[in-house]
Amino acid sequence: MYTVKEYLARELVASLADFDGVPQDFVPEFEKPKNPEHGDLATNAAMQLARYLRRAPRSIAGALAEHLLARPLDPARIASVEVAGSGFINFRFSTEYLIGELRELLKAGEAFGRSTTGHGKRALVEYVSANPTGPLTVGHGRNAVLGDTVANLLAWNGYDVTREYYFNDAGRQMRVLGESVRARYQAVVDPETPRKRIESGDVSVEVPASFPEDGYLGAYITDIAERLHSRAKGAPDLSGDVAPFKEAAEQAIFADIERTLTRLGIHMDTYFNERSLYENDTVWKTLEQLRDKGHCYDRDGAVWFRTTAFGKEQDTVLVKSSGEPTYRLPDIAYHAGKCDRGFDRIVDILGADHIATYPDVLHGLRALGYDADRVEVIVHQFVTLVRGGAPVKMSTRRATYVTLDDLMDEVGEDVTRFFFLMRSPNAHLEFDLDLAKEASEKNPVFYLQYAHARICSILRKAEEVGFHGAAGADLSLLGHAAEITLMKALLRLPEVLEYAAAMCEPHQVANYLREVAVSFTQFYGHCRIIGEEYDLAAARMQLAHAARIVLANGLHVLGISRPERM
RNA sequence: GCGCCCGUAGCUCAACCGGACAGAGCGGCGGACUUCUAAUCCGCAGGUUGCAGGUUCGAGUCCUGCCGGGCGUGCCA
């Protein structure tokens, strides 16, 4: 479709040579009209030019259309040109053109929809980035799936993509985690250990007396303690340092996290530990650079970042009076490092709870002289699980959460991925568990997969009854309205994937695939394959095959399986 | 108070970075299986895009001000 758009843009600009007053840098815009009656491609050039030419848009459109028709336009591509509405020029593709493109689609096969937009460019997508303090939750799930799919989209558009997980196992959170495990461990060693109760919100949990007040209450802590105790040798000493408990917990939890991600088909390329920024002094070097450039000052024993210079209400502490940095400083150092690593696109996937932190990081980058515009921050809103019409409350520390694994156990991996992807990241996501599993017949995921499976079934059956070698079919036999509609839908895949990658919006793909499935199902309803005369059946088999390719490639990008039977 | 996100059909959400008559699914109502997969399809009903202004040939989309919801707003991460 891009080729024809470029072709029309050239023709349009050439036609404008006869008009006085057209700006030198005028670039006509094209878009696909919402209403199919308005053709396949439309331009609002006449409206845009009205103020320069001092003529009514409709009159410009009429003159432009005449010029275009007089060139003349290539009938192998454009079937009609019409002026409509308040000055739109609508173009309709010729069937010949569509069939030619369909042929290209079939030739490209599994590669259809890939682009070279990102060739020679490197992209870094950072996502998940949960500290190993507990199992991944549903909230992490949305982040993980979103990031992974954005990475897929970039890869499909030719980018060399690195998927990165950033974490910190050195902070207070992890120390509390270690203390939580140690307390549970003590109770395993000595069942007579004194107990106390911790009240948190509406839950009340019995814990060993040594359990930290803000400790992690989840059952997995006890599991880790028990496993630690059952180890024949090397069981840690209670009187010693908390480190062995922390390390054991981290190891166990990280293994769980990776297992969960694997279930979702997610594999990270790099794990970046915040600690490394301390080990090579990067954090302190970054601070010195900020200081040298005059963005820092000392007050009350702390080091402050002059964020008010960037329009914020208050300055921000980078190093506490205790000498310990806040998380902002390593975050800035980490992102400066990302810029230094030479990526063309740097994408961060963040939950809404980090909404206040990333502006400081971007300000930090600017202060250091980096081009902060290279960093694209995708902030996604929260997920609410709904069961029986009521929201499910969640909190990691209180252990009242639903884990990502629980969710997948309940509704399946494919549904999990799709539900996280079908909404705009900006939209608060309501995940209706009842609908996700029980309504399998109305579920959009199954709808797409069913269309795919159905095509596979038809193609299998057709082979059985003797339709072989359809590859040489005469596609020009295709001309039914349902066939044309389907072709047009199929051919949009590349532009949808490119747009979705540019905007980091996977839901565009999900919505598009639904349209494709609808178009296919309508084609299926109107046009038979088996039973038709051989040549027509062969041509339709090819069209069905093309639909399978588009659905398969689209689902592949979304990370959802493509069943051949259901 | 301040910052970001959201407010669109009964419900959950789209709407291609300003375009034509605002679209889907679910739910509701009514139809369609001796036919390639009925996990399906067809039809009907359902809207002052939270409110009020402004910019524009043209606004759900941009600007201003209200109203309502979410997340933040710490020498926690």
Side-chain angles (χ1 to χ4, degrees), chain A residues 540-563:
Chain A
R540 285 180 175 167
M541 271 178 76
Q542 284 301 88
L543 182 56
H545 185 215
R548 196 201 67 77
I549 289 170
V550 169
L551 288 170
N553 293 1
L555 287 170
H556 182 65
V557 170
L558 298 184
I560 292 168
S561 69
R562 301 151 286 174

Side-chain angles (χ1 to χ4, degrees), chain A residues 285-305:
Chain A
K285 287 177 195 156
T286 301
L287 183 66
E288 283 319 302
Q289 285 172 37
L290 284 169
R291 212 191 266 281
D292 289 347
K293 292 177 193 281
H295 292 284
C296 296
Y297 63 90
D298 296 296
R299 192 179 75 202
D300 304 332
V303 184
W304 296 72
F305 178 26

Side-chain angles (χ1 to χ4, degrees), chain A residues 152-313:
Chain A
N152 287 349
L153 279 166
L154 292 173
W156 264 69
N157 282 284
Y159 286 89
D160 176 7
V161 180
T162 301
R163 297 151 195 262
E164 188 154 285
Y165 188 127
Y166 176 75
F167 71 106
N168 167 27
D169 59 6
R172 205 187 65 89
Q173 278 185 10
M174 295 301 291
R175 196 171 62 241
V176 173
L177 178 75
E179 288 165 0
S180 304
V181 173
R182 183 168 60 184
R184 292 292 191 188
Y185 180 81
Q186 184 173 20
V188 174
V189 173
D190 171 18
E192 302 301 311
T193 302
R195 304 284 175 151
K196 65 177 177 182
R197 296 200 75 84
I198 288 188
E199 316 285 335
S200 176
D202 47 1
V203 283
S204 172
V205 184
E206 193 184 69
V207 295
S210 59
F211 198 88
E213 280 303 316
D214 53 353
Y216 292 88
L217 299 170
Y220 62 94
I221 298 293
T222 311
D223 293 344
I224 292 168
E226 281 169 358
R227 253 179 290 155
L228 210 48
H229 181 66
S230 66
R231 272 203 320 227
K233 51 183 176 181
D237 175 8
L238 273 169
S239 58
D241 190 43
V242 75
F245 296 97
K246 197 182 87 174
E247 278 158 28
E250 175 179 346
Q251 217 171 16
I253 291 169
F254 236 124
D256 274 340
I257 288 175
E258 284 182 325
R259 204 172 305 127
T260 305
L261 291 176
T262 299
R263 275 184 81 178
L264 277 169
I266 295 174
H267 302 279
M268 312 305 299
D269 296 309
T270 46
Y271 288 83
F272 194 105
N273 192 339
E274 180 187 332
R275 208 196 313 180
S276 65
L277 297 168
Y278 289 95
E279 286 166 358
N280 59 20
D281 259 4
T282 308
V283 166
W284 304 114
K285 287 177 195 156
T286 301
L287 183 66
E288 283 319 302
Q289 285 172 37
L290 284 169
R291 212 191 266 281
D292 289 347
K293 292 177 193 281
H295 292 284
C296 296
Y297 63 90
D298 296 296
R299 192 179 75 202
D300 304 332
V303 184
W304 296 72
F305 178 26
R306 217 181 298 276
T307 37
T308 46
F310 294 94
K312 279 198 63 167
E313 211 181 347

